[in-house]
Amino acid sequence: MKKVFVFIFILFLSHNSVFSQPAKKFTVAKPETVGMSSERLSRIDTFLNDCVKKEYIPGAVAFIARKGKIVYYKSFGFDDIEKKTPLKKDQIFRIASQTKAITSIAALMLYEEGKYNLDDPVSKFIPEFKNPVILKTFNEKDSSYITEPAKKEITIRQLFTHTSGIGYAGIGTKEMNAIYAKAGVPSGVGNSNGVLSEKMKILGKLPLMHEPGEKFTYGLNTDLLGYLVELWSGMSLDEFFRKRIFIPLGMDDTYFYLPENKKSKLTTLYEEKDGKLQKMLSNVEGDPNYPLHKGTYYSGGGGLSSSIEDYAKFLQMVLNKGHYNGKRLLSRKTIELLLTNQITPEVSSTRQVGLGFGLETPVNDYLSPLTIGSFSWGGMFNTQYWADPKEELVCLIYTQIWPTTKGRISDKFKALVYQAVID
């Protein structure tokens, strides 16, 4: 009798362990089966249809998965307003800075292989970053400047957290925009020519905005991290992403530059001028249709284009503590480190950042309905995402417009997602 009880108990534990594991791949389910309300989710339809009707956005795709089950996946509005071409939910969007998290994961995969330590100086691998200098004065007339030696070197950890002092090109301060432009260093969004290694070596000789580690300054840190991935792996960033991340996760619509059979899926990019939507003809770097080029520049900070479901797979992998589709990219412990805040109060009183994601912590939790432990980011063309480990949510909303004064749509989307949770 005792043996029978033990056997039944083992079967019970085995049964529950199976059902407590996250889904290996996304499947579609009725919202009520995972604790969400179909009726309340329909409020998202009303909201996004209204945004399109008022011409706040040309269109949008929204995606929600809970406990590995897709409970909401819809498109609204137009890909081309003038032609009245409907936006399809599987179209490919320019995801810009959402590239950063993928580069960070790539770098952490190589961290697990012992290629570097987080607090190694960048100059250990790229000599051009030895003896960094800090910008002291800047002459707007000719973009000349005076520098002083930095007290410390940039570390790899500071690239993950944007605390190195490196600024942004094109979308940064007027000083750094001018300095980078004169040196030929691009932002990585919209440019397709050149080679990453060449530009990052030039970046190493340019001034920093402040002492490494002292402030959070959003900049070309992840582009530099992408070049390090190339050095550590012996592959181009494009090849590493394809072989080590996209193919294992089944991300079949994610590219730096789209192949011929995918080009028709690229969304039309819009901008707001004088309160009206119109197709973007040029941006800070040139041609908005850069994903259609046969480019050679692989920007780890902003170069990718992707479909919303592809990126959801990537987020679900992180939510699953490193695995998806039967493939493990990172260990549970590395994911825990990835999602640990790296920013001290001396650096920022509110900014909370892990190794590649923005984080929801007790410091900033009052700002949104996201649960503590959630991680998020977005892209400049109004693509936004977050994942919530406690609620087991993966949520994304993609539009394709920049600039716009009709922002905060993603904040309302967050409220609409959480009001639909009923368990």
Side-chain angles (χ1 to χ4, degrees):
M1 184 69 181
K2 184 177 180 181
K3 290 182 178 179
V4 172
F5 174 79
V6 170
F7 177 72
I8 292 173
F9 183 67
I10 291 172
L11 281 178
F12 172 80
L13 289 178
S14 175
H15 174 83
N16 278 276
S17 66
V18 169
F19 285 93
S20 65
Q21 295 298 312
K24 291 183 178 180
K25 293 179 67 175
F26 282 128
T27 55
V28 178
K30 187 176 181 180
E32 282 73 15
T33 64
V34 290
M36 300 193 77
S37 164
S38 299
E39 181 181 358
R40 283 179 164 263
L41 283 171
S42 69
R43 294 176 180 178
I44 299 173
D45 299 34
T46 302
F47 169 65
L48 290 177
N49 278 323
D50 188 55
C51 288
V52 171
K53 183 178 179 180
K54 291 178 178 176
E55 297 188 354
Y56 292 169
I57 54 175
V61 178
F63 181 103
I64 305 168
R66 194 173 197 212
K67 300 180 181 180
K69 308 290 186 181
I70 300 172
V71 297
Y72 191 95
Y73 184 15
K74 296 182 180 182
S75 61
F76 302 85
F78 304 100
D79 172 41
D80 189 308
I81 297 173
E82 292 79 5
K83 295 179 180 178
K84 300 298 181 185
T85 307
L87 182 65
K88 298 176 183 177
K89 65 182 186 179
D90 66 344
Q91 282 190 247
I92 294 174
F93 292 72
R94 303 156 189 80
I95 61 170
S97 286
Q98 288 189 204
T99 308
K100 289 179 170 66
I102 295 176
T103 303
S104 297
I105 291 293
L108 287 171
M109 292 170 73
L110 294 163
Y111 167 77
E112 288 193 334
E113 294 176 13
K115 301 294 186 181
Y116 66 96
N117 290 316
L118 284 170
D119 295 312
D120 281 342
V122 172
S123 65
K124 180 177 179 180
F125 306 97
I126 311 173
E128 286 79 3
F129 282 84
K130 190 73 177 176
N131 302 318
V133 295
I134 298 171
L135 180 67
K136 293 305 294 180
T137 64
F138 175 76
N139 187 336
E140 289 189 42
K141 293 181 180 180
D142 60 4
S143 299
S144 61
Y145 52 84
I146 296 173
T147 64
E148 68 177 15
K151 298 174 184 176
K152 297 172 286 186
E153 286 201 36
I154 298 169
T155 68
I156 294 166
R157 189 189 301 269
Q158 290 162 357
L159 300 183
F160 279 103
T161 59
H162 293 272
T163 55
S164 69
I166 295 172
Y168 235 126
I171 57 172
T173 65
K174 64 179 182 180
E175 293 86 0
M176 300 317 292
N177 287 348
I179 290 170
Y180 291 154
K182 189 174 182 179
V185 175
S187 72
V189 179
N191 58 282
S192 54
N193 298 322
V195 180
L196 183 64
S197 59
E198 173 192 338
K199 302 301 183 182
M200 293 301 99
K201 289 176 182 178
I202 294 172
L203 179 66
K205 296 299 183 182
L206 299 179
L208 304 176
M209 295 179 67
H210 54 75
E211 285 284 350
E214 287 193 355
K215 297 179 183 178
F216 177 94
T217 298
Y218 198 48
L220 291 170
N221 299 276
T222 320
D223 286 71
L224 181 54
L225 193 62
Y227 176 43
L228 286 167
V229 169
E230 293 189 336
L231 291 175
W232 293 325
S233 68
M235 305 181 198
S236 71
L237 197 59
D238 181 52
E239 184 182 8
F240 188 94
F241 282 177
R242 178 81 30 218
K243 291 182 177 178
R244 300 288 303 274
I245 298 176
F246 300 159
I247 291 175
L249 296 183
M251 296 173 67
D252 301 325
D253 283 326
T254 307
Y255 299 89
F256 281 108
Y257 303 102
L258 302 180
E260 286 298 325
N261 65 335
K262 300 284 185 178
K263 288 182 177 180
S264 63
K265 297 182 70 174
L266 183 67
T267 53
T268 304
L269 185 57
Y270 279 81
E271 62 184 333
E272 183 186 316
K273 281 193 175 180
D274 301 321
K276 300 291 184 180
L277 296 179
Q278 65 179 49
K279 290 179 182 176
M280 182 182 284
L281 301 178
S282 64
N283 63 17
V284 292
E285 292 291 346
D287 186 0
N289 289 319
Y290 61 90
L292 303 178
H293 298 168
K294 292 183 179 180
T296 55
Y297 196 82
Y298 305 127
S299 167
L304 288 174
S305 296
S306 181
S307 66
I308 202 167
E309 187 172 355
D310 261 19
Y311 207 88
K313 293 173 183 177
F314 172 75
L315 295 176
Q316 188 67 47
M317 177 275 297
V318 180
L319 208 63
N320 290 355
K321 301 187 185 300
H323 66 91
Y324 179 84
N325 193 28
K327 304 292 193 302
R328 178 168 291 281
L329 270 61
L330 290 173
S331 75
R332 172 177 62 85
K333 294 303 294 181
T334 302
I335 293 292
E336 289 173 2
L337 176 62
L338 163 72
L339 299 179
T340 299
N341 177 48
Q342 306 285 320
I343 305 295
T344 64
E346 293 77 22
V347 172
S348 175
S349 59
T350 57
R351 179 76 65 172
Q352 303 285 276
V353 177
L355 298 177
F357 291 105
L359 303 178
E360 191 86 1
T361 75
V363 172
N364 59 10
D365 189 45
Y366 70 95
L367 293 170
S368 81
L370 274 63
T371 311
I372 290 174
S374 298
F375 51 97
S376 62
W377 210 260
M380 73 180 292
F381 301 118
N382 274 277
T383 59
Q384 303 287 332
Y385 71 81
W386 80 93
D388 185 327
K390 183 178 180 181
E391 295 294 341
E392 298 180 76
L393 282 166
V394 169
C395 307
L396 308 94
I397 182 166
Y398 282 12
T399 65
Q400 203 76 154
I401 176 173
W402 183 85
T404 175
T405 60
K406 310 299 192 303
R408 319 304 292 185
I409 288 175
S410 63
D411 288 345
K412 292 179 180 178
F413 178 64
K414 289 173 185 174
L416 287 162
V417 169
Y418 282 101
Q419 62 85 34
V421 176
I422 56 173
D423 61 4

